[in-house]
Amino acid sequence: APNPYYKERLDEARATFSSLEKMSCSEAASRACEEYHAAVAAYNIACADKERIRNRYEYMLSESVKWQPPSPDHVNMKEFMISQLQDSIRQDCPPEPRAPPVRLGAEEWLAENKQQALRDIEYYGTRLLEDSERVEKSSRWISELKESL
């Protein structure tokens, strides 16, 4: 039997689209506001986390720069440590900030969510069809094998 995951997600996407089709403008405005506030909270947490990580890296980098290798054999280790920390700062803490969340109006929120539901319906419908075809092909292969024995 096909994996139930795709059927369940497809049913969810259809139900979401159906509820969005019936949603009033005031309900859409309320949902848009809720999502915006949740996104702002998540954004603030992510920014604080990024700053905390950057501060920790910067501290480790300053300590690594000050560190005196105990022997000439350890110089490469110091250079590698500094290089790794600089790379980590560039990768994990880029200087450009993430774009803050944008507050959507009711109509725009509704349109975006309908579009996402339609994309989900298409995606999970396609995956379900592919999975069903795969299962059918495998079942046919096994049946043909049994018949040949």
Side-chain angles (χ1 to χ4, degrees), residues 49-59 89-90 93-95:
D49 286 347
K50 181 179 167 182
E51 185 64 25
R52 183 183 49 75
I53 291 167
R54 176 180 273 289
N55 289 340
R56 184 174 169 106
Y57 279 144
E58 293 287 350
Y59 173 75
I89 291 169
R90 275 193 296 280
C93 311

Side-chain angles (χ1 to χ4, degrees), residues 30-76:
S30 176
R31 295 277 304 276
C33 186
E34 289 170 10
E35 285 187 16
Y36 172 74
H37 289 296
V40 167
Y43 175 81
N44 289 337
I45 289 169
C47 289
D49 286 347
K50 181 179 167 182
E51 185 64 25
R52 183 183 49 75
I53 291 167
R54 176 180 273 289
N55 289 340
R56 184 174 169 106
Y57 279 144
E58 293 287 350
Y59 173 75
M60 288 189 295
L61 180 59
S62 70
E63 292 297 305
S64 298
V65 168
K66 290 189 284 186
W67 179 63
Q68 294 301 313
S71 76
D73 291 340
H74 292 89
V75 171
N76 285 342

Side-chain angles (χ1 to χ4, degrees), residues 110-125:
L110 199 52
E112 283 190 14
N113 280 270
K114 283 181 183 178
Q115 283 300 108
Q116 183 59 54
L118 290 173
R119 284 191 298 272
D120 289 347
I121 290 168
E122 180 180 349
Y123 176 81
Y124 291 117

Side-chain angles (χ1 to χ4, degrees), residues 75-126:
V75 171
N76 285 342
M77 181 181 166
K78 176 179 179 169
E79 292 169 356
F80 179 73
M81 232 178 358
I82 291 170
S83 170
Q84 289 297 297
L85 287 164
Q86 289 170 335
D87 288 347
S88 293
I89 291 169
R90 275 193 296 280
Q91 291 294 318
D92 298 346
C93 311
E96 66 280 349
R98 280 181 32 198
V102 175
R103 187 177 205 143
L104 300 178
E107 290 177 9
E108 189 177 7
W109 180 90
L110 199 52
E112 283 190 14
N113 280 270
K114 283 181 183 178
Q115 283 300 108
Q116 183 59 54
L118 290 173
R119 284 191 298 272
D120 289 347
I121 290 168
E122 180 180 349
Y123 176 81
Y124 291 117
T126 300

